[in-house]
Amino acid sequence: AAKDRGGQNAIFYDELHSDQLHEIATIEGQLRKALDREELILNYQPIVDSTGRVSAAEALIRWIHPVHGFISPAKFIPIAEETGLIIKIGEWVLRTACIQHKQWIDSKRLPPFDLSVNVSLRQFLNQDFVEMVDRILAETRFDPERLVLEITEGYVNKNVEYGNHVLNQLKNRGIRIAIDDFGTGYSSLSRLKTLPIHVLKIDRSFIRYVQNDSANASIVEAVVHIGKSMNLKVMSEGVETIEELQFLKSVNCHQYQGYLISPPLPAAEFEARFQEFSLP
Ligand code: C2E
Ligand code: CA
Ligand code: CA
Ligand code: CA
């Protein structure tokens, strides 16, 4: 199947067999139609701070195919990136999430919290990206200071100048940036220091069994220290057990996300269960 390297979701076609290429072509064709047919939906997963308050929600895309049922974004997002479809899909994600979040907050059905939206590398490096973000913010009258964009470390190695330019434009609008899957890429710490970012999101592979796995424990502790010294918030994703949470609390991680608190939920369920989200 498609390979995921360094959190960049890159597909290497030369490593694929013809049946896999056929599958990709089929998925691509169906994905093109999925947007119009309203087969794509967003789920929302709460992110809580150390007091247990919901500080943000991450929007995560889902594809409910009429025949094949649920198709994981880990499968179709890399194909969307490779084919360029991610540009259209990414715009739809941002618009849909902003509209939903605004409804929740403006109607006072939910108290204020930040909205976190994933941006893939291809989208981020697309020359119309900032213009697209501006357009959606204006169209939905969304407060940029409530928006967090999650990007992976990938760009730090290529297109550094251009990437920094984009990040600064976003920062000037009050938008915050989280580095997603932190620790799985190859960004150098000296470069990290110079980036206009706000959050380090530790990849869930480092959270797993962190209380017993000494390698993971040192990585997590190191990231928390780096975050503190660079004035960044440190968030843990994929927190599944109370033991993992206890360790993360003991090293003063700032924010937590994972099945222990709640899985990603469809919007109506997220709203209905909002009061239950907290730290055990
Ligand atoms: P990610 O951004 O690193 O998102 C975290 C993934 O971990 C999500 O998988 C989430 O459902 C899952 N997760 C959350 N808590 C736990 C936990 O406690 N345990 C475990 N085992 N998993 C947990 P999901 O939703 O399948 O998304 C996979 C990836 O697809 C995301 O990884 C992200 O890279 C990409 N993706 C999802 N939605 C979007 C989107 O709207 N746009 C873009 N560009 N990429 C997206
Ligand atoms: Ca993410
Ligand atoms: Ca991750
Ligand atoms: Ca990711």
Side-chain angles (χ1 to χ4, degrees):
K3 282 206 168 183
D4 188 338
R5 278 191 194 161
Q8 291 177 54
N9 302 332
I11 296 178
F12 297 89
Y13 282 110
D14 54 344
E15 295 173 8
L16 300 177
H17 299 295
S18 65
D19 54 334
Q20 292 172 311
L21 283 171
H22 178 74
E23 193 193 2
I24 288 172
T26 309
I27 291 180
E28 182 195 351
Q30 304 201 343
L31 194 51
R32 276 183 200 286
K33 297 175 192 140
L35 260 179
D36 303 327
R37 295 180 180 167
E38 298 181 12
E39 295 166 15
L40 299 180
I41 62 155
L42 292 184
N43 276 2
Y44 298 86
Q45 187 177 31
I47 295 165
V48 300
D49 66 18
S50 50
T51 69
R53 190 187 70 92
V54 177
S55 56
E58 179 179 1
L60 291 155
I61 197 168
R62 300 288 175 257
W63 183 7
I64 316 295
H65 189 282
V67 178
H68 305 296
F70 176 85
I71 302 174
S72 165
K75 184 159 194 172
F76 72 82
I77 289 291
I79 294 170
E81 284 206 43
E82 207 64 39
T83 56
L85 268 174
I86 193 65
I87 304 300
K88 248 185 107 181
I89 292 175
E91 177 168 348
W92 176 86
V93 168
L94 185 62
R95 179 185 295 109
T96 306
C98 286
I99 291 171
Q100 178 63 71
H101 180 278
K102 202 169 159 60
Q103 276 177 8
W104 276 329
I105 310 304
D106 284 4
S107 67
K108 300 204 158 48
R109 297 205 300 271
L110 295 181
F113 54 88
D114 295 335
L115 174 67
S116 225
V117 175
N118 290 284
V119 173
S120 73
L121 205 59
R122 169 119 185 219
Q123 227 189 322
F124 178 76
L125 295 175
N126 180 278
Q127 56 176 0
D128 299 326
F129 180 66
V130 176
E131 193 190 309
M132 183 278 283
V133 172
D134 280 342
R135 181 155 33 83
I136 302 291
L137 290 176
E139 193 186 298
T140 60
R141 283 173 287 128
F142 194 88
D143 177 3
E145 302 200 339
R146 278 286 174 206
L147 184 61
V148 179
L149 297 179
E150 300 193 0
I151 64 165
T152 55
E153 291 168 84
Y155 100 87
V156 182
N157 299 297
K158 322 176 247 176
N159 314 78
V160 188
E161 304 261 298
Y162 180 72
N164 281 357
H165 170 69
V166 175
L167 288 184
N168 278 310
Q169 284 185 288
L170 297 169
K171 186 188 179 184
N172 292 341
R173 287 155 173 76
I175 297 168
R176 280 162 296 154
I177 303 294
I179 301 293
D180 208 354
D181 303 334
F182 186 73
T184 63
Y186 308 95
S187 61
S188 82
L189 296 176
S190 57
R191 268 194 196 141
L192 194 67
K193 197 172 61 182
T194 67
L195 301 181
I197 58 173
H198 304 81
V199 182
L200 298 179
K201 204 164 171 178
I202 307 176
D203 191 66
R204 68 172 196 256
S205 59
F206 302 116
I207 304 303
R208 196 62 57 244
Y209 309 119
V210 68
Q211 74 284 2
N212 295 322
D213 183 320
S214 61
N216 274 2
S218 342
I219 291 167
V220 168
E221 279 190 271
V223 175
V224 172
H225 285 300
I226 291 165
K228 292 238 157 84
S229 66
M230 294 185 186
N231 241 323
L232 305 171
K233 291 255 181 292
V234 176
M235 187 193 299
S236 300
E237 70 169 23
V239 184
E240 290 185 357
T241 68
I242 195 95
E243 290 79 15
E244 290 164 359
L245 176 68
Q246 274 162 354
F247 178 89
L248 295 164
K249 275 182 163 175
S250 75
V251 298
N252 293 315
C253 177
H254 299 104
Q255 291 173 313
Y256 312 89
Q257 178 181 20
Y259 296 163
L260 182 66
I261 298 137
S262 169
L265 298 169
E269 245 178 284
F270 179 88
E271 182 182 333
R273 290 171 57 178
F274 191 87
Q275 299 305 329
E276 299 164 29
F277 303 146
S278 71
L279 288 181

